[in-house]
Amino acid sequence: MSDQQWAVVLHDDDVNSHTTVAFAVARAYGLPVERGFEMAHDVDTAGEGCLTWCTTREQAEALVADLQLWGLHVTLRSR
């Protein structure tokens, strides 16, 4: 079994634009904004998407909290 037990899940909403999602995700993960736009599109299409898996709940909670400050609908899910 993998050590990564906690998923950070981004949910589609009718409030945030692709641009807001892209910049928030890119900033939180240190990714290029283009990758943030790809992730925003994937979540818009599927309804939700796992952004990353974390080894500890604390790591996952910190990422969730950071993205929630941007107004994104993000949750934590255990494996």
Side-chain angles (χ1 to χ4, degrees):
M1 181 183 280
S2 172
D3 288 338
Q4 298 180 329
Q5 299 295 317
W6 300 96
V8 176
V9 180
L10 176 63
H11 303 270
D12 187 30
D13 63 40
D14 294 330
V15 177
N16 294 293
S17 68
H18 276 83
T19 302
T20 300
V21 174
F23 279 99
V25 169
R27 184 186 147 282
Y29 294 100
L31 300 170
V33 174
E34 294 79 14
R35 181 63 183 124
F37 274 105
E38 290 172 8
M39 294 173 116
H41 174 74
D42 292 347
V43 168
D44 187 46
T45 302
E48 71 177 30
C50 179
L51 296 178
T52 192
W53 285 91
C54 297
T55 56
T56 67
R57 183 179 183 123
E58 291 77 19
Q59 288 174 319
E61 286 175 343
L63 287 170
V64 166
D66 189 35
L67 291 168
Q68 286 175 341
L69 288 174
W70 284 82
L72 302 184
H73 182 187
V74 186
T75 59
L76 180 66
R77 199 176 284 166
S78 65
R79 186 176 294 231

